[in-house]
Each structure stands twice: as structure tokens, then as C-alpha cells.
Amino acid sequence: MRVIATAGHVDHGKSTLVRRLTGMEPDRWAEERRRGLTLDLGFAWTRLGEEEIAFVDVPGHQRFVPNMLAGVGPVPAALVVVAADEGWMPQSAEHLAALDAFGVRHGLLAVTKSDRADPARATAAALEEIAATALGEVPAVSVSGTTGEGLEDLRSQLAELASRLPPPDPDADVRLWIDRAFTIKGAGTVVTGTLGGGTLRVGDELTLGETSVQIRGLQSLGEPRESVSAVARIAVNLRGVPKDSVGRGDVLLTPGAWRPATEADVRLRGAASGELHRNLVLHLGSAAVPARVRPLGPDTARLLLASPLPLRTGDRGLLRDPGEHRIPAGFDVLDVRPPSLARRGAARARGEELATREPGWDYLRREGFVRHEEFRALGLPEVGDRLGNWHADPAHLARLRAEAGKAVVAWSREHPLAAGIPAEALRHRLGLPDAELLPAVLSDGLVLKDGLVGKPGAGLTAEVEKAVKLLEKRFAEHPFRAPEADELRKLGLGKRELAAAVRVGRLRAIADGVVLSPDAPRRAAEVLAALGEPFTVSRARQALDSTRRVMIPLLEHLDAAGLTEPLGDGTRRICCAGPANGLP
């Protein structure tokens, strides 16, 4: 399906053309039909050639410009209508400016009432005006809504226009701007809009503001559907949504794929930043939101929105003063996560930055790290070094690697017996947003192990080294006599010092406060194996020349390693001994 909006001055025959083309009545309200004046958006559709075409018919009167903007905002193409007997008129210009501001690039000119006046003059004037906008050069057709003359040519040109439209992306994130909301008895709330990208399916979960909603049913072109892909006019039956909680300007979104913004930096089209009033209305899609404008540069500004909108870089919209009937200003969204302007001179500096902006890189350099899905949500190209679910600014990454090395050295200086700085403490020092990023900022020579970051093989202080050497001398003579707590205290070996010695492999902890040489378990197993028969704790103590304080935890250590086996009668037997059992 292709969706085309009408545009043009009041009473130039937009609705009449849609009626003749489709056989459907686009004016939905009785008052519209009674007055012969379109007040709100109308919808109709037909098949032209191989294409289904849906029309969004908009009001032409200046009092209903907001309704017109809600209709043309989401559509990709327009049928510009100008009457031959009146020619180019004020609302012709305002509607064309709106199409230009929204970035509509595909269109067709229909010069109506050609039976009342020669269409040549109106056609030439309209084509000149249109050529100066994003629409560029468009085909023109002269037609009479009264006699039907030129309708077949118009149908042919509309089919040609539809074939030129760029193919939509059925896998895109859904952003359905709502232009109508009503209730159907037995079904509940129904909303309609132009689906510009993506696919909707019955049962899908979407977000509406801060609420999660589910699709109960779908319709397109008056027929129920299980799924609808862009581009399409679509009616969505929402489950459990009160009618008074949703209306024109609201938007249905793919969950988690959009980041509502309350401010954005934009480039202006059709007006300089200094020419705009500070308080305007921003139109995007079917939404109309009050916005304050802060100039940044000659053609750039910061928009501050009264309520959040799901914006992406590259979006096009317009700014309008509702109190004045003047040509609106268009804008292109440059940044939906702009930096603060709190410091003095920040606005001017920001304007200079935007003049030489690099989409994606500007945001990444400002943040340092950006989640992978954030680029798509903000409408930015993916740049930087990919680190799992993150992208990193290479320069920022290099700075953090240097800082990480300094932080580990400083921590080791303050905690000489520690195996390293706790990983979480280092993460906070470096300002990393996720622990997943920590390994990437560790420079050569740093390792992450057991939740600590440090240099491998970190040594002992001179005092601890001296005390451990004394113990090693002792173990050379009596390998199974562990020093008492008082002896350790006199040597200056507290819990931290012993833990450091165990960590570097100079001692082995058999139990709390019981340390032996690293090879003590292996040597004990070899001695006990020589006994040749089951042994008691007492027999083992005698064979190893040890004490009961040491022997009980030592035998339990050997049991856990599978070197000895308790027999249940107070004796043990040797299973095997040696490095194959995990002991040195």
C-alpha cells in the first residue's frame, strides 16, 4: 500500500477529487457534508494499477491548519491541489511549506476546475513554487472534479507516483503516530494512523506513553488483518485502553527501541534562529507540542519541549506560531541527547560544534561508552570500538587504560599486602558504566582474578618476606610443625600477611591460623603411604612428628584431596599420592 496526503487551499477541490478517485466519502462528519467544508482528516482508498493507495484528505481552511499538519506529518507523498480559477493562494503556500518542512520529497500537482478557467497559468505558477521545495519538479495534471475530465490521466500519474516511492522497511522499529481514537461497541478503543515503517501483528506488545499495551485486532483498508507492514493506513484495536486515555498526537512504539526526548538540537530551514519567537508549537508526525526555542547559531537552535517525544536524529518537523498565519519553519533533528548549556558561553560553543558535527562520533566522544542499541534508538550510525554490548571512543579507552594502571599502583602502595584493587572499586574510580567493560581497560601487565585487579605475581613486603623465610627454615627441619599463634604474632604475620604469603605460593593454609610449607600435603601423603596399613590419627602424628592441632586439619585436607580415605573405625588408608591428585 502507498499513502498519499492531499494539500491545498480551502475549496480547491481536494475532497471532491478523492471522492471521484475512490468512490468513498472522505468527509466523516455530518457538519462537513452539510457545509461542504472539510474540518478534520478524512480517509479513503482505492486500487490504481498494481498499487493500493490510501488517501489522507486534509482541511484547507487556515483555522484547521493543526489538523492538516497531523495528516501530512507521517506520509511520504502528497497530491497538491490548486484551482485553475483562483490559482496559487495563501493556504497553498502554507501547505506547501508544511510539506517542505516535513521533508516530503514525492508529489504530484492536480490543477482542478479546469472547466472554469484555462489551467495553464495556475499550473505554471504552482510548479514554480513547488520546484523550490523538497518536492522539486513534479508532474502536473489538469482535471475537473465536476465533469471528470482528466481523471484517467490523474489515476495514471498517481499510479506512477506510487511506483516511485522508496520501499519501506518492514523490519523497522514501529512509531505509529495516532491521528484518530474512538470506541467500537464490543471491541473497545481503536486508534488509526499511517504506519511509515515496521510491521504490526495481532498480539504484539507496544508502548503508549509509559504504558505497555497489546494489539487486540488490526484493520487496513476496511479489512481485518493478522499483520500489516508499512507503508499502510492502519486501525489498531488496543486491549484494555480507555478511550479518554489516548488521542491524536500520541504514539505507539516498539518497546525499548525509542528514547523520549524533552530537548533536541536542530538545524532550521526557512528561517534564521534569531527570527523565531521563543515560544512556538513543534509539529512532528501527528503530534503538536509547545516548545521553547534557544538560538545556538545562525541556523541552529535548542528546542525545549513541554512534553517528551520519541525523536531520532534525522527526523524532520516544523515550528509554527499558532497566533500568526505565516509560513512555518522546518527543522532537522541533529541531536536528541544534547549537552548542557549551563556554563557561560555554552550556547555559542554548541552552535560552533554543530557546524562541524560528526553524527555518532560526537555522541560517543561525549559519553565515552554507548550501548549498541542506543545508536539505533537515537538514529545515529554505529561508530567506535565494539566491546560486547558497548561501543567505546578509542581515545577515551586509551586514557582509561593509563588511569587503570595508575589506580592499581596507588592501591598497591596503600595496601601492600593486597592481591589487587577490588574490581568494583576500580570500575567506580574509572567511571565505567558496566562491569562488562572492565577487562577492556586493563593495560598489559594487569589481570582480573577472583574479583581483584592487580599485577600477576605481586611480591611481599620486606618485613613479610623476612618472616616467611624464617618459617621456611623451620619447615626444612620440621615440615609438619605449624607455628603457634603467638609465634606468628611475634613474626608480624597476621591474617593479612599470611593471606598474602599463601596467595604468592610461599605458604599453604591447612586451617584457620594453621600454615605449613606449600608441599607439606604431598610430603605427608608420601610418609603415610610408607606405613603400609591403615593408621590412626595418633599413628600419623607420630610418623609425621607433628601435633594433634595440626594433624586433624592436615588429614581432613588429605581426605578432601582424595589422598586418604576414612574407614569409619577411626582409621584411614592411603589411596594414592602425588601430583596427579592436585597437590604439588
Side-chain angles (χ1 to χ4, degrees), residues 7-10 12 14 60-62 65 68 80-83 86-100 109 122 125-126 129-130 133 135 327:
H9 195 75
V10 62
H12 276 206
K14 297 184 297 298
H61 197 283
Q62 65 181 21
V65 167
M68 177 268 179
V80 181
V81 179
V82 176
E86 291 189 344
W88 196 253
M89 297 290 283
Q91 288 309 115
S92 306
E94 188 166 7
H95 282 203
L96 180 61
L99 295 173
D100 186 39
L109 171 64
E129 296 286 346
I130 294 170
T133 69
L135 287 165
I327 301 301

PDB file of all heavy atoms in Angstrom, residues 7-10 12 14 60-62 65 68 80-83 86-100 109 122 125-126 129-130 133 135 327:
ATOM      1  N   ALA A   7      -3.130  18.299  -0.271  1.00  0.00           N
ATOM      2  CA  ALA A   7      -2.688  19.587   0.261  1.00  0.00           C
ATOM      3  C   ALA A   7      -3.207  20.676  -0.660  1.00  0.00           C
ATOM      4  O   ALA A   7      -3.261  20.490  -1.886  1.00  0.00           O
ATOM      5  CB  ALA A   7      -1.164  19.653   0.353  1.00  0.00           C
ATOM      6  N   GLY A   8      -3.589  21.803  -0.091  1.00  0.00           N
ATOM      7  CA  GLY A   8      -4.060  22.900  -0.933  1.00  0.00           C
ATOM      8  C   GLY A   8      -5.048  23.800  -0.220  1.00  0.00           C
ATOM      9  O   GLY A   8      -5.545  23.500   0.872  1.00  0.00           O
ATOM     10  N   HIS A   9      -5.345  24.927  -0.861  1.00  0.00           N
ATOM     11  CA  HIS A   9      -6.216  25.963  -0.305  1.00  0.00           C
ATOM     12  C   HIS A   9      -7.652  25.447  -0.153  1.00  0.00           C
ATOM     13  O   HIS A   9      -8.073  24.515  -0.838  1.00  0.00           O
ATOM     14  CB  HIS A   9      -6.194  27.191  -1.222  1.00  0.00           C
ATOM     15  CG  HIS A   9      -6.746  28.430  -0.604  1.00  0.00           C
ATOM     16  ND1 HIS A   9      -6.064  29.158   0.334  1.00  0.00           N
ATOM     17  CD2 HIS A   9      -7.941  29.071  -0.800  1.00  0.00           C
ATOM     18  CE1 HIS A   9      -6.788  30.209   0.687  1.00  0.00           C
ATOM     19  NE2 HIS A   9      -7.939  30.173   0.023  1.00  0.00           N
ATOM     20  N   VAL A  10      -8.382  26.061   0.763  1.00  0.00           N
ATOM     21  CA  VAL A  10      -9.770  25.686   1.006  1.00  0.00           C
ATOM     22  C   VAL A  10     -10.594  25.858  -0.271  1.00  0.00           C
ATOM     23  O   VAL A  10     -10.414  26.805  -1.047  1.00  0.00           O
ATOM     24  CB  VAL A  10     -10.363  26.530   2.151  1.00  0.00           C
ATOM     25  CG1 VAL A  10     -10.377  28.016   1.821  1.00  0.00           C
ATOM     26  CG2 VAL A  10     -11.768  26.049   2.509  1.00  0.00           C
ATOM     27  N   HIS A  12     -10.554  24.218  -3.031  1.00  0.00           N
ATOM     28  CA  HIS A  12      -9.913  23.989  -4.322  1.00  0.00           C
ATOM     29  C   HIS A  12     -10.199  22.591  -4.867  1.00  0.00           C
ATOM     30  O   HIS A  12      -9.668  22.220  -5.911  1.00  0.00           O
ATOM     31  CB  HIS A  12      -8.413  24.238  -4.237  1.00  0.00           C
ATOM     32  CG  HIS A  12      -8.056  25.684  -4.406  1.00  0.00           C
ATOM     33  ND1 HIS A  12      -6.830  26.105  -4.884  1.00  0.00           N
ATOM     34  CD2 HIS A  12      -8.773  26.816  -4.179  1.00  0.00           C
ATOM     35  CE1 HIS A  12      -6.801  27.433  -4.920  1.00  0.00           C
ATOM     36  NE2 HIS A  12      -7.967  27.879  -4.496  1.00  0.00           N
ATOM     37  N   LYS A  14     -10.057  19.347  -3.098  1.00  0.00           N
ATOM     38  CA  LYS A  14      -9.295  18.179  -2.622  1.00  0.00           C
ATOM     39  C   LYS A  14     -10.227  17.008  -2.340  1.00  0.00           C
ATOM     40  O   LYS A  14     -10.011  15.888  -2.816  1.00  0.00           O
ATOM     41  CB  LYS A  14      -8.496  18.556  -1.365  1.00  0.00           C
ATOM     42  CG  LYS A  14      -7.446  19.625  -1.594  1.00  0.00           C
ATOM     43  CD  LYS A  14      -6.615  19.892  -0.355  1.00  0.00           C
ATOM     44  CE  LYS A  14      -7.449  20.448   0.805  1.00  0.00           C
ATOM     45  NZ  LYS A  14      -8.080  21.755   0.472  1.00  0.00           N
ATOM     46  N   GLY A  60      -8.476  22.521   4.190  1.00  0.00           N
ATOM     47  CA  GLY A  60      -7.699  23.596   3.578  1.00  0.00           C
ATOM     48  C   GLY A  60      -7.857  24.937   4.255  1.00  0.00           C
ATOM     49  O   GLY A  60      -7.091  25.865   3.989  1.00  0.00           O
ATOM     50  N   HIS A  61      -8.846  25.068   5.154  1.00  0.00           N
ATOM     51  CA  HIS A  61      -9.078  26.360   5.808  1.00  0.00           C
ATOM     52  C   HIS A  61      -7.978  26.646   6.824  1.00  0.00           C
ATOM     53  O   HIS A  61      -7.497  25.746   7.525  1.00  0.00           O
ATOM     54  CB  HIS A  61     -10.436  26.350   6.503  1.00  0.00           C
ATOM     55  CG  HIS A  61     -10.950  27.720   6.837  1.00  0.00           C
ATOM     56  ND1 HIS A  61     -10.459  28.444   7.904  1.00  0.00           N
ATOM     57  CD2 HIS A  61     -11.901  28.492   6.252  1.00  0.00           C
ATOM     58  CE1 HIS A  61     -11.091  29.611   7.961  1.00  0.00           C
ATOM     59  NE2 HIS A  61     -11.969  29.658   6.966  1.00  0.00           N
ATOM     60  N   GLN A  62      -7.569  27.902   6.933  1.00  0.00           N
ATOM     61  CA  GLN A  62      -6.483  28.283   7.832  1.00  0.00           C
ATOM     62  C   GLN A  62      -6.791  27.997   9.291  1.00  0.00           C
ATOM     63  O   GLN A  62      -5.879  27.804  10.097  1.00  0.00           O
ATOM     64  CB  GLN A  62      -6.140  29.760   7.663  1.00  0.00           C
ATOM     65  CG  GLN A  62      -7.251  30.723   8.066  1.00  0.00           C
ATOM     66  CD  GLN A  62      -6.846  32.169   7.844  1.00  0.00           C
ATOM     67  OE1 GLN A  62      -5.943  32.458   7.072  1.00  0.00           O
ATOM     68  NE2 GLN A  62      -7.516  33.089   8.516  1.00  0.00           N
ATOM     69  N   VAL A  65      -5.390  24.376  10.279  1.00  0.00           N
ATOM     70  CA  VAL A  65      -4.021  24.001   9.934  1.00  0.00           C
ATOM     71  C   VAL A  65      -3.467  22.909  10.854  1.00  0.00           C
ATOM     72  O   VAL A  65      -2.801  21.980  10.381  1.00  0.00           O
ATOM     73  CB  VAL A  65      -3.098  25.241   9.926  1.00  0.00           C
ATOM     74  CG1 VAL A  65      -1.633  24.834   9.875  1.00  0.00           C
ATOM     75  CG2 VAL A  65      -3.431  26.121   8.720  1.00  0.00           C
ATOM     76  N   MET A  68      -4.521  19.684   9.507  1.00  0.00           N
ATOM     77  CA  MET A  68      -3.800  19.386   8.277  1.00  0.00           C
ATOM     78  C   MET A  68      -2.405  18.841   8.586  1.00  0.00           C
ATOM     79  O   MET A  68      -1.952  17.839   8.015  1.00  0.00           O
ATOM     80  CB  MET A  68      -3.703  20.655   7.423  1.00  0.00           C
ATOM     81  CG  MET A  68      -2.906  20.483   6.131  1.00  0.00           C
ATOM     82  SD  MET A  68      -1.149  20.896   6.352  1.00  0.00           S
ATOM     83  CE  MET A  68      -0.531  20.578   4.705  1.00  0.00           C
ATOM     84  N   VAL A  80      -0.784  17.794  -4.411  1.00  0.00           N
ATOM     85  CA  VAL A  80      -1.010  19.227  -4.226  1.00  0.00           C
ATOM     86  C   VAL A  80      -2.120  19.657  -5.188  1.00  0.00           C
ATOM     87  O   VAL A  80      -2.028  19.421  -6.404  1.00  0.00           O
ATOM     88  CB  VAL A  80       0.277  20.030  -4.493  1.00  0.00           C
ATOM     89  CG1 VAL A  80       0.023  21.519  -4.269  1.00  0.00           C
ATOM     90  CG2 VAL A  80       1.402  19.534  -3.587  1.00  0.00           C
ATOM     91  N   VAL A  81      -3.150  20.279  -4.630  1.00  0.00           N
ATOM     92  CA  VAL A  81      -4.335  20.639  -5.413  1.00  0.00           C
ATOM     93  C   VAL A  81      -4.439  22.164  -5.496  1.00  0.00           C
ATOM     94  O   VAL A  81      -4.441  22.854  -4.466  1.00  0.00           O
ATOM     95  CB  VAL A  81      -5.604  20.033  -4.782  1.00  0.00           C
ATOM     96  CG1 VAL A  81      -6.843  20.433  -5.585  1.00  0.00           C
ATOM     97  CG2 VAL A  81      -5.481  18.511  -4.701  1.00  0.00           C
ATOM     98  N   VAL A  82      -4.547  22.695  -6.713  1.00  0.00           N
ATOM     99  CA  VAL A  82      -4.696  24.130  -6.953  1.00  0.00           C
ATOM    100  C   VAL A  82      -5.838  24.328  -7.957  1.00  0.00           C
ATOM    101  O   VAL A  82      -5.885  23.627  -8.988  1.00  0.00           O
ATOM    102  CB  VAL A  82      -3.394  24.749  -7.509  1.00  0.00           C
ATOM    103  CG1 VAL A  82      -3.593  26.225  -7.839  1.00  0.00           C
ATOM    104  CG2 VAL A  82      -2.258  24.571  -6.510  1.00  0.00           C
ATOM    105  N   ALA A  83      -6.734  25.241  -7.669  1.00  0.00           N
ATOM    106  CA  ALA A  83      -7.857  25.504  -8.571  1.00  0.00           C
ATOM    107  C   ALA A  83      -7.422  26.421  -9.708  1.00  0.00           C
ATOM    108  O   ALA A  83      -6.740  27.427  -9.496  1.00  0.00           O
ATOM    109  CB  ALA A  83      -9.013  26.141  -7.801  1.00  0.00           C
ATOM    110  N   GLU A  86      -8.664  30.154  -9.370  1.00  0.00           N
ATOM    111  CA  GLU A  86      -8.135  31.010  -8.298  1.00  0.00           C
ATOM    112  C   GLU A  86      -6.612  31.021  -8.255  1.00  0.00           C
ATOM    113  O   GLU A  86      -6.006  31.990  -7.796  1.00  0.00           O
ATOM    114  CB  GLU A  86      -8.677  30.572  -6.938  1.00  0.00           C
ATOM    115  CG  GLU A  86     -10.156  30.840  -6.760  1.00  0.00           C
ATOM    116  CD  GLU A  86     -10.611  30.594  -5.331  1.00  0.00           C
ATOM    117  OE1 GLU A  86      -9.874  29.935  -4.561  1.00  0.00           O
ATOM    118  OE2 GLU A  86     -11.700  31.071  -4.983  1.00  0.00           O
ATOM    119  N   GLY A  87      -6.013  29.946  -8.703  1.00  0.00           N
ATOM    120  CA  GLY A  87      -4.554  29.892  -8.728  1.00  0.00           C
ATOM    121  C   GLY A  87      -3.931  29.732  -7.349  1.00  0.00           C
ATOM    122  O   GLY A  87      -4.559  29.248  -6.402  1.00  0.00           O
ATOM    123  N   TRP A  88      -2.693  30.158  -7.256  1.00  0.00           N
ATOM    124  CA  TRP A  88      -1.923  29.994  -6.020  1.00  0.00           C
ATOM    125  C   TRP A  88      -2.473  30.926  -4.944  1.00  0.00           C
ATOM    126  O   TRP A  88      -2.630  32.120  -5.161  1.00  0.00           O
ATOM    127  CB  TRP A  88      -0.463  30.298  -6.291  1.00  0.00           C
ATOM    128  CG  TRP A  88       0.466  29.796  -5.223  1.00  0.00           C
ATOM    129  CD1 TRP A  88       1.121  30.539  -4.297  1.00  0.00           C
ATOM    130  CD2 TRP A  88       0.832  28.442  -4.983  1.00  0.00           C
ATOM    131  NE1 TRP A  88       1.878  29.746  -3.489  1.00  0.00           N
ATOM    132  CE2 TRP A  88       1.726  28.440  -3.883  1.00  0.00           C
ATOM    133  CE3 TRP A  88       0.496  27.229  -5.590  1.00  0.00           C
ATOM    134  CZ2 TRP A  88       2.285  27.272  -3.383  1.00  0.00           C
ATOM    135  CZ3 TRP A  88       1.049  26.063  -5.102  1.00  0.00           C
ATOM    136  CH2 TRP A  88       1.932  26.086  -4.009  1.00  0.00           C
ATOM    137  N   MET A  89      -2.772  30.346  -3.754  1.00  0.00           N
ATOM    138  CA  MET A  89      -3.426  31.088  -2.676  1.00  0.00           C
ATOM    139  C   MET A  89      -2.635  30.930  -1.376  1.00  0.00           C
ATOM    140  O   MET A  89      -1.725  30.102  -1.283  1.00  0.00           O
ATOM    141  CB  MET A  89      -4.862  30.591  -2.501  1.00  0.00           C
ATOM    142  CG  MET A  89      -5.752  30.819  -3.718  1.00  0.00           C
ATOM    143  SD  MET A  89      -6.125  32.557  -3.959  1.00  0.00           S
ATOM    144  CE  MET A  89      -7.376  32.794  -2.692  1.00  0.00           C
ATOM    145  N   PRO A  90      -2.974  31.752  -0.335  1.00  0.00           N
ATOM    146  CA  PRO A  90      -2.207  31.701   0.921  1.00  0.00           C
ATOM    147  C   PRO A  90      -2.090  30.309   1.530  1.00  0.00           C
ATOM    148  O   PRO A  90      -1.007  29.904   1.965  1.00  0.00           O
ATOM    149  CB  PRO A  90      -2.976  32.654   1.832  1.00  0.00           C
ATOM    150  CG  PRO A  90      -3.598  33.635   0.901  1.00  0.00           C
ATOM    151  CD  PRO A  90      -3.965  32.848  -0.327  1.00  0.00           C
ATOM    152  N   GLN A  91      -3.187  29.543   1.560  1.00  0.00           N
ATOM    153  CA  GLN A  91      -3.086  28.213   2.160  1.00  0.00           C
ATOM    154  C   GLN A  91      -2.347  27.241   1.245  1.00  0.00           C
ATOM    155  O   GLN A  91      -1.777  26.266   1.723  1.00  0.00           O
ATOM    156  CB  GLN A  91      -4.471  27.662   2.497  1.00  0.00           C
ATOM    157  CG  GLN A  91      -5.131  28.361   3.678  1.00  0.00           C
ATOM    158  CD  GLN A  91      -4.211  28.424   4.888  1.00  0.00           C
ATOM    159  OE1 GLN A  91      -3.825  29.514   5.297  1.00  0.00           O
ATOM    160  NE2 GLN A  91      -3.852  27.294   5.437  1.00  0.00           N
ATOM    161  N   SER A  92      -2.325  27.534  -0.050  1.00  0.00           N
ATOM    162  CA  SER A  92      -1.469  26.736  -0.940  1.00  0.00           C
ATOM    163  C   SER A  92      -0.022  26.867  -0.479  1.00  0.00           C
ATOM    164  O   SER A  92       0.712  25.869  -0.370  1.00  0.00           O
ATOM    165  CB  SER A  92      -1.596  27.218  -2.385  1.00  0.00           C
ATOM    166  OG  SER A  92      -2.925  27.255  -2.831  1.00  0.00           O
ATOM    167  N   ALA A  93       0.389  28.104  -0.209  1.00  0.00           N
ATOM    168  CA  ALA A  93       1.767  28.357   0.220  1.00  0.00           C
ATOM    169  C   ALA A  93       2.046  27.744   1.584  1.00  0.00           C
ATOM    170  O   ALA A  93       3.114  27.151   1.807  1.00  0.00           O
ATOM    171  CB  ALA A  93       2.024  29.864   0.250  1.00  0.00           C
ATOM    172  N   GLU A  94       1.091  27.870   2.526  1.00  0.00           N
ATOM    173  CA  GLU A  94       1.326  27.335   3.874  1.00  0.00           C
ATOM    174  C   GLU A  94       1.381  25.814   3.854  1.00  0.00           C
ATOM    175  O   GLU A  94       2.218  25.204   4.523  1.00  0.00           O
ATOM    176  CB  GLU A  94       0.246  27.817   4.841  1.00  0.00           C
ATOM    177  CG  GLU A  94       0.561  27.444   6.283  1.00  0.00           C
ATOM    178  CD  GLU A  94      -0.293  28.189   7.286  1.00  0.00           C
ATOM    179  OE1 GLU A  94      -1.218  28.906   6.886  1.00  0.00           O
ATOM    180  OE2 GLU A  94      -0.021  28.042   8.500  1.00  0.00           O
ATOM    181  N   HIS A  95       0.484  25.190   3.079  1.00  0.00           N
ATOM    182  CA  HIS A  95       0.520  23.735   2.983  1.00  0.00           C
ATOM    183  C   HIS A  95       1.811  23.247   2.331  1.00  0.00           C
ATOM    184  O   HIS A  95       2.405  22.264   2.759  1.00  0.00           O
ATOM    185  CB  HIS A  95      -0.687  23.241   2.185  1.00  0.00           C
ATOM    186  CG  HIS A  95      -1.955  23.232   2.978  1.00  0.00           C
ATOM    187  ND1 HIS A  95      -3.035  22.435   2.655  1.00  0.00           N
ATOM    188  CD2 HIS A  95      -2.337  23.927   4.083  1.00  0.00           C
ATOM    189  CE1 HIS A  95      -4.005  22.642   3.523  1.00  0.00           C
ATOM    190  NE2 HIS A  95      -3.602  23.563   4.382  1.00  0.00           N
ATOM    191  N   LEU A  96       2.236  23.948   1.276  1.00  0.00           N
ATOM    192  CA  LEU A  96       3.479  23.556   0.619  1.00  0.00           C
ATOM    193  C   LEU A  96       4.663  23.713   1.570  1.00  0.00           C
ATOM    194  O   LEU A  96       5.561  22.854   1.610  1.00  0.00           O
ATOM    195  CB  LEU A  96       3.694  24.399  -0.634  1.00  0.00           C
ATOM    196  CG  LEU A  96       4.975  24.092  -1.432  1.00  0.00           C
ATOM    197  CD1 LEU A  96       4.964  22.654  -1.934  1.00  0.00           C
ATOM    198  CD2 LEU A  96       5.145  25.071  -2.585  1.00  0.00           C
ATOM    199  N   ALA A  97       4.663  24.791   2.346  1.00  0.00           N
ATOM    200  CA  ALA A  97       5.744  24.985   3.320  1.00  0.00           C
ATOM    201  C   ALA A  97       5.750  23.869   4.354  1.00  0.00           C
ATOM    202  O   ALA A  97       6.810  23.425   4.811  1.00  0.00           O
ATOM    203  CB  ALA A  97       5.592  26.341   3.996  1.00  0.00           C
ATOM    204  N   ALA A  98       4.572  23.405   4.743  1.00  0.00           N
ATOM    205  CA  ALA A  98       4.488  22.305   5.701  1.00  0.00           C
ATOM    206  C   ALA A  98       5.057  21.017   5.099  1.00  0.00           C
ATOM    207  O   ALA A  98       5.814  20.289   5.755  1.00  0.00           O
ATOM    208  CB  ALA A  98       3.040  22.095   6.132  1.00  0.00           C
ATOM    209  N   LEU A  99       4.697  20.738   3.851  1.00  0.00           N
ATOM    210  CA  LEU A  99       5.250  19.555   3.185  1.00  0.00           C
ATOM    211  C   LEU A  99       6.773  19.635   3.112  1.00  0.00           C
ATOM    212  O   LEU A  99       7.480  18.643   3.336  1.00  0.00           O
ATOM    213  CB  LEU A  99       4.669  19.417   1.779  1.00  0.00           C
ATOM    214  CG  LEU A  99       3.168  19.150   1.673  1.00  0.00           C
ATOM    215  CD1 LEU A  99       2.723  19.203   0.218  1.00  0.00           C
ATOM    216  CD2 LEU A  99       2.814  17.806   2.287  1.00  0.00           C
ATOM    217  N   ASP A 100       7.273  20.814   2.803  1.00  0.00           N
ATOM    218  CA  ASP A 100       8.719  21.022   2.716  1.00  0.00           C
ATOM    219  C   ASP A 100       9.369  20.824   4.079  1.00  0.00           C
ATOM    220  O   ASP A 100      10.422  20.184   4.207  1.00  0.00           O
ATOM    221  CB  ASP A 100       8.999  22.424   2.182  1.00  0.00           C
ATOM    222  CG  ASP A 100      10.484  22.659   1.929  1.00  0.00           C
ATOM    223  OD1 ASP A 100      11.161  21.733   1.441  1.00  0.00           O
ATOM    224  OD2 ASP A 100      10.971  23.758   2.256  1.00  0.00           O
ATOM    225  N   LEU A 109       1.047  17.440  -8.856  1.00  0.00           N
ATOM    226  CA  LEU A 109       0.185  18.619  -8.875  1.00  0.00           C
ATOM    227  C   LEU A 109      -1.079  18.309  -9.671  1.00  0.00           C
ATOM    228  O   LEU A 109      -0.997  17.832 -10.815  1.00  0.00           O
ATOM    229  CB  LEU A 109       0.908  19.802  -9.515  1.00  0.00           C
ATOM    230  CG  LEU A 109       0.062  21.045  -9.803  1.00  0.00           C
ATOM    231  CD1 LEU A 109      -0.465  21.667  -8.505  1.00  0.00           C
ATOM    232  CD2 LEU A 109       0.854  22.068 -10.612  1.00  0.00           C
ATOM    233  N   ALA A 122      -2.277  28.850 -13.759  1.00  0.00           N
ATOM    234  CA  ALA A 122      -2.208  28.294 -12.403  1.00  0.00           C
ATOM    235  C   ALA A 122      -1.175  27.181 -12.325  1.00  0.00           C
ATOM    236  O   ALA A 122      -0.456  27.042 -11.326  1.00  0.00           O
ATOM    237  CB  ALA A 122      -3.580  27.783 -11.987  1.00  0.00           C
ATOM    238  N   ALA A 125       2.430  28.703 -12.286  1.00  0.00           N
ATOM    239  CA  ALA A 125       2.738  29.345 -11.002  1.00  0.00           C
ATOM    240  C   ALA A 125       2.959  28.302  -9.908  1.00  0.00           C
ATOM    241  O   ALA A 125       3.892  28.409  -9.097  1.00  0.00           O
ATOM    242  CB  ALA A 125       1.608  30.302 -10.613  1.00  0.00           C
ATOM    243  N   ALA A 126       2.109  27.284  -9.885  1.00  0.00           N
ATOM    244  CA  ALA A 126       2.224  26.251  -8.845  1.00  0.00           C
ATOM    245  C   ALA A 126       3.510  25.449  -9.009  1.00  0.00           C
ATOM    246  O   ALA A 126       4.209  25.148  -8.023  1.00  0.00           O
ATOM    247  CB  ALA A 126       1.009  25.335  -8.890  1.00  0.00           C
ATOM    248  N   GLU A 129       6.457  27.333  -7.629  1.00  0.00           N
ATOM    249  CA  GLU A 129       6.503  27.321  -6.161  1.00  0.00           C
ATOM    250  C   GLU A 129       6.966  25.957  -5.645  1.00  0.00           C
ATOM    251  O   GLU A 129       7.805  25.864  -4.739  1.00  0.00           O
ATOM    252  CB  GLU A 129       5.113  27.636  -5.598  1.00  0.00           C
ATOM    253  CG  GLU A 129       4.581  29.025  -5.923  1.00  0.00           C
ATOM    254  CD  GLU A 129       5.265  30.115  -5.112  1.00  0.00           C
ATOM    255  OE1 GLU A 129       5.950  29.778  -4.119  1.00  0.00           O
ATOM    256  OE2 GLU A 129       5.119  31.293  -5.473  1.00  0.00           O
ATOM    257  N   ILE A 130       6.428  24.900  -6.214  1.00  0.00           N
ATOM    258  CA  ILE A 130       6.755  23.542  -5.738  1.00  0.00           C
ATOM    259  C   ILE A 130       8.216  23.202  -6.000  1.00  0.00           C
ATOM    260  O   ILE A 130       8.883  22.555  -5.172  1.00  0.00           O
ATOM    261  CB  ILE A 130       5.830  22.517  -6.418  1.00  0.00           C
ATOM    262  CG1 ILE A 130       4.377  22.735  -5.963  1.00  0.00           C
ATOM    263  CG2 ILE A 130       6.271  21.088  -6.104  1.00  0.00           C
ATOM    264  CD1 ILE A 130       3.359  21.929  -6.747  1.00  0.00           C
ATOM    265  N   THR A 133      10.972  23.653  -3.345  1.00  0.00           N
ATOM    266  CA  THR A 133      10.880  22.925  -2.076  1.00  0.00           C
ATOM    267  C   THR A 133      11.495  21.530  -2.220  1.00  0.00           C
ATOM    268  O   THR A 133      12.043  21.179  -3.267  1.00  0.00           O
ATOM    269  CB  THR A 133       9.415  22.793  -1.649  1.00  0.00           C
ATOM    270  OG1 THR A 133       8.745  21.889  -2.549  1.00  0.00           O
ATOM    271  CG2 THR A 133       8.718  24.144  -1.658  1.00  0.00           C
ATOM    272  N   LEU A 135      10.003  18.897  -2.671  1.00  0.00           N
ATOM    273  CA  LEU A 135       9.303  18.130  -3.702  1.00  0.00           C
ATOM    274  C   LEU A 135       9.996  18.225  -5.052  1.00  0.00           C
ATOM    275  O   LEU A 135       9.931  17.301  -5.861  1.00  0.00           O
ATOM    276  CB  LEU A 135       7.851  18.613  -3.818  1.00  0.00           C
ATOM    277  CG  LEU A 135       6.918  18.220  -2.677  1.00  0.00           C
ATOM    278  CD1 LEU A 135       5.654  19.050  -2.714  1.00  0.00           C
ATOM    279  CD2 LEU A 135       6.582  16.744  -2.763  1.00  0.00           C
ATOM    280  N   ILE A 327       4.350  31.512   7.180  1.00  0.00           N
ATOM    281  CA  ILE A 327       4.989  30.285   6.724  1.00  0.00           C
ATOM    282  C   ILE A 327       5.778  29.677   7.892  1.00  0.00           C
ATOM    283  O   ILE A 327       6.586  30.370   8.526  1.00  0.00           O
ATOM    284  CB  ILE A 327       5.928  30.562   5.542  1.00  0.00           C
ATOM    285  CG1 ILE A 327       5.131  31.179   4.393  1.00  0.00           C
ATOM    286  CG2 ILE A 327       6.616  29.290   5.099  1.00  0.00           C
ATOM    287  CD1 ILE A 327       3.995  30.325   3.880  1.00  0.00           C
TER     288      ILE A 327
END
